[in-house]
Short mmCIF file of all heavy atoms in Angstrom, two decimals:
data_model
loop_
_atom_site.label_atom_id
_atom_site.label_comp_id
_atom_site.label_asym_id
_atom_site.label_seq_id
_atom_site.Cartn_x
_atom_site.Cartn_y
_atom_site.Cartn_z
N ALA N 129 32.30 130.22 90.70
CA ALA N 129 32.18 129.57 92.01
C ALA N 129 30.75 129.02 92.16
O ALA N 129 29.78 129.77 92.01
CB ALA N 129 32.48 130.56 93.12
N PRO N 130 30.59 127.73 92.47
CA PRO N 130 29.25 127.13 92.52
C PRO N 130 28.54 127.38 93.84
O PRO N 130 28.24 126.47 94.60
CB PRO N 130 29.55 125.64 92.32
CG PRO N 130 30.89 125.45 92.96
CD PRO N 130 31.65 126.72 92.70
N THR N 131 28.20 128.64 94.11
CA THR N 131 27.59 129.00 95.39
C THR N 131 26.06 129.06 95.31
O THR N 131 25.43 129.59 96.22
CB THR N 131 28.14 130.34 95.89
OG1 THR N 131 27.96 131.34 94.88
CG2 THR N 131 29.62 130.23 96.20
N GLY N 132 25.50 128.52 94.22
CA GLY N 132 24.05 128.44 94.09
C GLY N 132 23.63 127.00 93.88
O GLY N 132 24.45 126.10 93.69
N THR N 133 22.32 126.78 93.90
CA THR N 133 21.76 125.46 93.64
C THR N 133 20.74 125.56 92.52
O THR N 133 20.17 126.63 92.27
CB THR N 133 21.08 124.88 94.89
OG1 THR N 133 20.04 125.78 95.32
CG2 THR N 133 22.09 124.71 96.03
N ALA N 134 20.51 124.44 91.85
CA ALA N 134 19.54 124.40 90.77
C ALA N 134 18.77 123.08 90.85
O ALA N 134 19.39 122.00 90.93
CB ALA N 134 20.22 124.54 89.42
N ALA N 135 17.46 123.18 90.84
CA ALA N 135 16.62 122.00 90.91
C ALA N 135 16.03 121.72 89.53
O ALA N 135 15.49 122.63 88.88
CB ALA N 135 15.50 122.21 91.92
N PRO N 136 16.12 120.47 89.05
CA PRO N 136 15.50 120.14 87.75
C PRO N 136 14.02 120.48 87.74
O PRO N 136 13.30 120.25 88.72
CB PRO N 136 15.74 118.63 87.63
CG PRO N 136 16.94 118.36 88.49
CD PRO N 136 16.80 119.30 89.65
N ALA N 137 13.57 121.07 86.64
CA ALA N 137 12.17 121.41 86.45
C ALA N 137 11.81 121.08 85.01
O ALA N 137 12.68 120.88 84.17
CB ALA N 137 11.92 122.89 86.75
N ASP N 138 10.53 121.03 84.74
CA ASP N 138 10.09 120.69 83.38
C ASP N 138 10.66 121.69 82.37
O ASP N 138 10.34 122.88 82.42
CB ASP N 138 8.56 120.69 83.33
CG ASP N 138 8.03 120.20 81.99
OD1 ASP N 138 8.77 119.48 81.29
OD2 ASP N 138 6.89 120.54 81.65
N GLY N 139 11.54 121.23 81.49
CA GLY N 139 12.11 122.10 80.47
C GLY N 139 13.31 122.89 80.89
O GLY N 139 13.77 123.76 80.13
N GLY N 140 13.86 122.64 82.07
CA GLY N 140 15.03 123.39 82.52
C GLY N 140 15.33 123.20 83.99
O GLY N 140 15.22 122.08 84.52
N HIS N 141 15.66 124.29 84.68
CA HIS N 141 15.99 124.24 86.10
C HIS N 141 15.46 125.50 86.80
O HIS N 141 15.28 126.54 86.16
CB HIS N 141 17.51 124.19 86.32
CG HIS N 141 18.18 122.98 85.74
ND1 HIS N 141 18.50 122.87 84.41
CD2 HIS N 141 18.59 121.82 86.34
CE1 HIS N 141 19.09 121.71 84.19
NE2 HIS N 141 19.16 121.05 85.34
N ARG N 142 15.27 125.38 88.10
CA ARG N 142 14.99 126.54 88.93
C ARG N 142 16.24 126.83 89.75
O ARG N 142 16.75 125.97 90.47
CB ARG N 142 13.78 126.30 89.83
CG ARG N 142 12.49 126.03 89.05
CD ARG N 142 11.25 126.32 89.88
NE ARG N 142 11.08 127.76 90.07
CZ ARG N 142 10.46 128.57 89.22
NH1 ARG N 142 9.95 128.10 88.08
NH2 ARG N 142 10.34 129.85 89.48
#
Side-chain angles (χ1 to χ4, degrees):
T131 55
T133 59
D138 186 23
H141 298 80
R142 299 202 71 85

